[in-house]
Amino acid sequence: MEMTGLPAEIISAFGLPDDPATVSPIGTGHIHQTFRVSGVRSFIVQRVNKNVFRQPEVIDINWTRAAQHLSAHYPDYPFLRCLPAAHGATQVSDSNGFPWRVFPYIGNTFTIDQVATRQQAYDAAAEFARLCHHLDGADVSQFRETIPRFHDLSLRYDQFEEALPSALPERKDQAESCIQYARDARTLVDDYVRNTSNGAWKLRITHNDTKINNVLFDMTSGKTVYAIDLDTLMPGYFIYDVGDMIRTFVPPVSEEEKDLSLLRFRRDIYDVVVSGYRSEMDAVMSTEELAYIPWSGKMMTYMMALRFLADYLRGDTYYHTTYPGQNLVRARNQFHWLGILMKET
Ligand code: GN1
Ligand code: MG
């Protein structure tokens, strides 16, 4: 259900201004519903998707652990947390059982939806890497998965296969070439299982959603100031972060693009994603991890292709869509991009 405004109980719990004119929907995320409330103090107010985050309290547990580590070791690191409601809780449920939370609005900042320059790509890659680097000494066992097995490629492959038997025949027909591609690229799953079971990669605290619009840039300096959207800050491997940047920063168009001829490998951007990431992570990464940076982009692209394809086959139950067939468009886009990455990296 699309919300057009804020429920009265949320306005009162967080002491927000009770004036619909100050509220406007923002953001391009697929999962939550996000609003900006403007006033003397401005806020970002978000309804958490409880069907995706089934234990939203785990998000808070992880943020508390991360904040404790960061304030002890990197007190100047700008870690964005939500504001408590009047009775102290950081999440308050509305009458339909959806949790809501409120962040301070960070003024004089902007976000972008597509990487335009090498500087943006380098700075954003370094920003996400800084978060992972700064959390390197934290006790990973104290964190929990906010979405179980979120970036487990083998689970995502199984979910695709499981979606097939009950998919509508016309959807299966439409998706035929994607289904074939999904099966042809399966060796990536074997690589993933091997590398995650032989201890080659360290389990870290990773961001897990490193798209460019999850970085705030300062309007005056043009520099990155915050890594945001920390719902999936949780135990993971480095491949999830650098891989998703290769997936999303390097092409000049997004995963929504229907004209596949516009998907082009921007080598200069690829190079600075890697160097920006390494500028922070080299200090803590092993040579086994470093060797898999090019692979990480393929793996994350394949994972998103599988997720979009499975959602199309299931009848669009997960990602928000605005037109029929949108998930298939996204899946085709990602399989095409995977083909490009296979050639170029
Ligand atoms: C979802 O809604 P957004 O952009 O924060 C998804 C990511 C995908 C992304 C694809 C919790 O993130 O994993 O990479 O869409 N988040 C979740 O655009 O499923
Ligand atoms: Mg997100």
Side-chain angles (χ1 to χ4, degrees), residues 253-268:
V253 290
S254 80
E255 65 199 13
E256 301 288 347
E257 182 57 56
K258 293 180 185 152
D259 180 354
L260 302 183
S261 72
L262 298 177
L263 282 164
R264 201 166 39 76
F265 186 78
R266 295 189 289 180
R267 184 159 303 277
D268 57 339

Side-chain angles (χ1 to χ4, degrees), residues 294-341:
W295 180 87
S296 71
K298 294 173 237 190
M299 179 266 180
M300 288 303 285
T301 303
Y302 181 48
M303 171 143 29
M304 277 318 301
L306 290 172
R307 291 178 66 190
F308 286 139
L309 177 58
D311 201 32
Y312 177 72
L313 294 169
R314 279 192 300 255
D316 308 320
T317 58
Y318 188 87
Y319 290 110
H320 180 64
T321 56
T322 52
Y323 64 89
Q326 188 170 6
N327 274 315
L328 184 60
V329 164
R330 293 165 172 158
R332 284 193 181 124
N333 170 305
Q334 292 294 285
F335 279 119
H336 188 77
W337 181 238
L338 175 59
I340 294 177
L341 289 178

Side-chain angles (χ1 to χ4, degrees), residues 160 175-186 309 335:
F160 146 68
E176 202 188 319
S177 60
C178 285
I179 294 170
Q180 193 52 49
Y181 203 139
R183 290 184 165 150
D184 290 347
R186 219 200 137 155
L309 177 58
F335 279 119

Side-chain angles (χ1 to χ4, degrees), residues 191-299:
D191 297 341
Y192 175 84
V193 170
R194 196 182 54 252
N195 282 302
T196 52
S197 48
N198 66 7
W201 299 333
K202 180 175 172 180
L203 197 58
R204 305 175 173 283
I205 300 303
T206 46
H207 180 285
N208 291 298
D209 192 9
T210 56
K211 294 197 294 192
I212 193 69
N213 54 18
N214 283 333
V215 175
L216 292 186
F217 290 86
D218 183 88
M219 259 185 217
T220 316
S221 66
K223 291 284 177 196
T224 59
V225 277
Y226 282 95
I228 59 166
D229 190 358
L230 302 171
D231 295 326
T232 49
L233 185 76
M234 61 180 169
Y237 298 103
F238 78 99
I239 45 169
Y240 304 153
D241 285 354
V242 68
D244 215 35
M245 288 191 267
I246 296 172
R247 177 180 83 82
T248 57
F249 289 16
V250 179
V253 290
S254 80
E255 65 199 13
E256 301 288 347
E257 182 57 56
K258 293 180 185 152
D259 180 354
L260 302 183
S261 72
L262 298 177
L263 282 164
R264 201 166 39 76
F265 186 78
R266 295 189 289 180
R267 184 159 303 277
D268 57 339
I269 302 289
Y270 175 83
D271 288 344
V272 293
V273 166
V274 174
S275 54
Y277 186 76
R278 290 188 56 174
S279 70
E280 286 286 336
M281 288 295 288
D282 267 6
V284 294
M285 271 171 98
S286 67
T287 43
E288 285 89 347
E289 289 175 312
L290 277 175
Y292 272 85
I293 288 180
W295 180 87
S296 71
K298 294 173 237 190
M299 179 266 180

